[in-house]
Amino acid sequence: MYDPKDIIDLLADNVAKTRNPFGISKYWLNGWWKKFDIPRQGGSLLFTGLMYQFMPYIEKTTAYLESYEDSKWAGYARYGKLVPKTLTSLGLAAITPLDEKLKFTNILRNISTILTKSGVDFHYDPSLDDYSGILLYDLGAQDEFVRHAKYVAEKLKAKGVKKIITVDPHTTYALKILFPKYTGISFEVKTYFELINLHSKNGCHQVTLHDPCFYGRYLELSDVPVKALGKLGVECVPARNSGLYTSCCGGPAESISPKLSAEIVERRVAELQETGKQIIAMCPICLGNLRKAGADVEDLSSLIMKCME
Amino acid sequence: MLLVKPDFAEELAAHGSDTAMECFNCGTCAAICPLIYEHFPRRMLRYIQLGAKEKILEEPAELWRCLHCGLCTQTCPRGADPGEVILGLKRYVTANWRKS
Amino acid sequence: MGDDMKNEATGEKQRKVGVYICYCGGNISDHVYVEKVRESVEKMPLVSVARTNMFMCSDPGQEMIMEDLKSGAVDRVVVASCAPSLHQTTFRNAVKRAGFNPYIYEHANIREHVSWVHNGDSATEKAARLVSAAVAKANLLEPLEPIRVDAIAHAAVIGGGMAGMKAATDLADKGVKVTIIEKSPFLGGNVAKLDRLAPSNTKAADLLTSLATNVLANPLITVHSCSTVQSYEGYVGNFKLGIKKCPPDTGTDKDGCSRNVTSGMKTGAYIPFAGVLPDAPPSSEENITIDAGVIILATGFKPYTPRNGEYGYSDYPEVITLPELIQLMATGKNSGDRLVVNGREIRSMAMIHCVGSRHIPGIHTEDEAGNLNEYCSRTCCAATLNAANNIKEAHPGTSIYEFYRDIRTYGRGQEELYSRASKNKVVFIRFEADAGPEVTSKEAPGDYPLLVRAKDTLTFGEEVAVPVDLVVLATGMEPAAISDLVTMMKLPVGADRFLQEVHPKLRPVELPKAGIYLAGTCQAPMDTGEVSNAAGAAAAKAASLLGKGHVDLDPFVASVDADKCKGTGECVKACLVEGALGMADYETEDGEKKQIARVEPAMCTGCGACVAVCPDNAIDISGWTLEQYEAMVDWIVADIK
């Protein structure tokens, strides 16, 4: 286990300086929209919160941290400036393979396509798409979170943004619940799957959804993707614990104790595999963590794209 | 011996967590917590009730094992909101680090 | 009624016993081969009919018995089923409805005595023996008439607290004359020493004022305050109580009741922490006799007084009981952020539960009389939580720590008190009986006078220490000091030293002695709502008894064979009930004068002590004669297959 103080200080420092916890420049990070046909003007703002974009780097970082956890080197995490040199910013970007980056790029492009096909009036503006600060909130770095959240919310407000479409549960919770509470600024926030309006009979198979904690419990949205998939001919077989009582994938513990995280995801994968169906995730952290534990997991957006083929 | 400090709960309330006193120590939260760890999170709520600050600060890092998954809050029969209480403790400890 | 006539008409001497065996829906038939029992008793020459039924107590079952009686097939009835306490009356009434004397009926218990405790062949065999014994007895049963005694339409209620006043007003509402006998100068009892009552937070003053106003305004109710019962005699319908009325001893009265009497005090008004003065206290001693058909005991309880040093009581002035706190709070009201008690601001206080209750032998020490209070006093949890809530809601700056073994908020509206206490940020600390909290002035930090320490099971057995300004002991209830009444009236007392009813569920306010009822906390710890229930039940029982103007008693009492009795007086010496047996002059048909034993049927309990000692077999119990017993024993030990 790493000392949370070291991790918090490192992440908070990065967010304060670069507006993202890994200190990677947004130019490197957020390129999925380039060379892709996406409306630049329109009703709602598609707001990724950069979570999917972080995933390749989180995986790399975690692998690194995991190899040193409980070793005599673990203490060096404290000398944040030493370890992060390789784990953040350009170094991290350099050691992360291109195909892994592409994997998550495709998810965001799929979501954009799904929205377009559903006739949703939306647009994307990369200059407004920022990290929500949710990790700082979860870790208890409250002052830093509020500072960052105010920056993001005020920027959106200044640009006249009122309606926001999100793609992951953490960002959704931050914008929908935390921003009004701590910044005083409210938006009309919807996840992309609340806006799906697609019908098909191509699905014709069964899947098992892994409800993320934030969708299942905090936001109580579990039934929405089930209904959307139903219209596409996909039947959802519930896992042992789902909806309000869904089991955590263990992802949030990655930065403090990769070992603990691995223990918890192992139990969750066993629960999900009980149904024998294709496992579907709808959160980048869940997706990454379940895959790392060896489960055959697909993102919700990829499944929907397949149904429409 | 654990000397009770009546004012700790209020000190903590400043960090956005004031539900620990609702807990009646049934242990449902500890039973459902995926950490399966030493009466966590009830242990922490109990220490808050008694104002046993030094017990909480004995190994503050343990708080960050919490995934903030919310199962404890979901199943708490008293609305004591253990998940948010732990988050409040994280904030309290973090704020203390900042001070020192 | 007419069974003898019928027998004469048919000229038969032999009785025709009908046997009716119940399956009890499997309760009996799962372990007793009921049909085998039937076959076995059917062979008895006395038995004319033997039948079975799934539920003999059902209408068809009872009809079957009545049909056999009416058709003349049987003239004695045996039902083999559950315990007689459950259905003996049911079947006696069926016999009566068929036009027969209900005492030609005999009951065999083959459920509690057989199927619930035995199995296999031996169960069936035991059932068969019990049934054949009952048949043998039934054969010898004679019609009996209940003993009828006149009842005086007047109720005596001993005690003028909640229970006594509630019972008295209920009785008066039904038109019954009532006399309340209260030993103190006031009406109101222990409730008058409280302020607000859990769980509804009702004011004790309001409750007692309304009750006492009704009592004093009702012309059917007489109140004798400053009165004690000096003598008791009689039986149901005809009791006689000797009452002594004394001027209150204002100097030495310990419970403070008499101390509160001042000259010129207004009668009928509520005096806080004393009660309602019904009448000016007597100035001289007076003796009164009261004749009553029924007696209701409403003698209440005694609040537990902590022993010297118990949780620091009497060692430290900051340790008080809950009733003391309630009185201090009511008389010294303040509106600050913190509670003020005896001029001291209370920053933090401990409330210790189960003081004087739930004692465990080997852990707690007996009092001087060797008693432990092993029972739960039931009212203290709710009362303590109610007080804590009232304090926290008026004075949020006072921290409250409740040291408890178990929280028993069992009644309606009580669990809410517990929830509210949590909302009010009361902290609960749970100790085990053998590791009770320790109250000490040593090690108390800062200027706190006391430190309360306990091993807290909610904190994984760690020792917690709470610095406090006040310790409140949630004291329980003890039986009131009524040993004189207990001895005088031979009242049954339970292991807990409270008065004991006949049956906790089936006859909860009755005593074995007919015509005497229990109301309120003389029976067990209960709260005011439960006291009203019990008092109402006692009043209803008493009123229905008095309503008929007479009482029918079971005829199972001693009767003397005047010819055989030689007047030895052995039976009188053996008799356990004073006044039930005596010697009387008797003149035989030949004009010979002698002394023989004479039974007062209303007093006789039918115990049979007299039968055992009579050298001439001249005394017997009707319905349970020696001859009947012998016949039963013969059949129990008989060779049967």
Side-chain angles (χ1 to χ4, degrees), chain C residues 147-169:
Chain C
I147 299 153
R148 177 161 292 190
V149 294
D150 289 334
I152 301 165
H154 179 215
V157 176
I158 305 177
M162 274 287 299
M165 289 198 284
K166 168 74 177 156
T169 49

Side-chain angles (χ1 to χ4, degrees), chain A residues 1 139 142 144 217-218 267, chain B residues 34 61 64 68-69 91 98:
Chain A
M1 181 167 173
L139 288 170
Q142 186 70 3
E144 291 86 342
R217 266 188 290 280
Y218 291 77
R267 290 202 296 267
Chain B
W64 274 270
H68 196 226
C69 76
R91 290 184 197 131
R98 295 275 181 278

Side-chain angles (χ1 to χ4, degrees), chain B residues 1-7 9 18-19 21-25 38-39 42-43 46-47 49-50 55 78, chain C residues 399 401 418-419 422-423 425 427-429 443 445 451 453 456 458-460 462-467:
Chain B
M1 192 181 75
L2 200 156
L3 191 66
V4 167
K5 284 175 222 61
D7 303 330
D18 61 351
T19 48
M21 301 304 275
E22 298 270 341
C23 167
F24 63 1
N25 292 283
E38 300 279 320
H39 300 287
R42 177 173 82 83
R43 190 183 195 89
R46 186 58 181 163
Y47 288 150
Q49 292 184 331
L50 296 174
K55 283 280 180 184
R78 297 280 285 191
Chain C
S399 300
Y401 295 86
Y418 175 57
S419 302
S422 292
K423 285 238 175 356
K425 305 196 190 305
V427 177
F428 292 87
I429 293 167
E443 299 173 51
L451 189 70
R453 288 147 58 128
D456 177 20
L458 297 181
T459 315
F460 328 100
E462 287 181 52
E463 183 170 80
V464 300
V466 187

Side-chain angles (χ1 to χ4, degrees), chain B residues 83-95:
Chain B
E84 295 304 308
V85 169
I86 298 300
L87 185 54
L89 279 178
K90 285 180 188 171
R91 290 184 197 131
Y92 169 77
V93 173
T94 309

Side-chain angles (χ1 to χ4, degrees), chain C residues 301-341:
Chain C
F301 71 95
K302 185 180 82 178
Y304 176 81
T305 310
R307 297 169 198 166
N308 283 349
E310 187 172 6
Y311 298 122
Y313 190 76
S314 70
D315 288 346
Y316 309 112
E318 296 89 357
V319 180
I320 60 174
T321 67
L322 182 59
E324 285 165 1
L325 173 74
I326 289 170
Q327 187 161 358
L328 286 169
M329 279 168 56
T331 50
K333 282 207 188 305
N334 71 93
S335 52
D337 179 51
R338 283 180 175 152
L339 174 72
V340 174
V341 171

Side-chain angles (χ1 to χ4, degrees), chain C residues 274-288:
Chain C
V276 172
L277 198 66
D279 228 335
S283 48
S284 61
E285 208 174 294
E286 195 185 335
N287 287 300
I288 306 161

Side-chain angles (χ1 to χ4, degrees), chain A residues 1 3-5 8-9 12 137-142 144 173 182 213-214 217-218 244-248 250-253 256 260 264 267, chain B residues 16 32-36 60-75 83-84 87 90-92 94-95 97-98 100:
Chain A
M1 181 167 173
D3 189 335
K5 185 176 186 302
I8 292 167
D9 284 347
Y137 174 82
D138 284 339
L139 288 170
Q142 186 70 3
E144 291 86 342
Y173 182 70
Y182 295 109
C213 300
F214 277 118
R217 266 188 290 280
Y218 291 77
L244 289 172
Y245 299 96
T246 187
S247 299
C248 182
I256 301 293
L260 176 68
I264 292 167
R267 290 202 296 267
Chain B
I32 199 140
C33 178
L35 301 183
I36 323 172
E62 299 295 328
L63 292 168
W64 274 270
R65 293 165 62 97
C66 169
L67 303 156
H68 196 226
C69 76
L71 260 178
C72 50
T73 292
Q74 184 67 41
T75 50
E84 295 304 308
L87 185 54
K90 285 180 188 171
R91 290 184 197 131
Y92 169 77
T94 309
W97 282 335
R98 295 275 181 278
S100 60

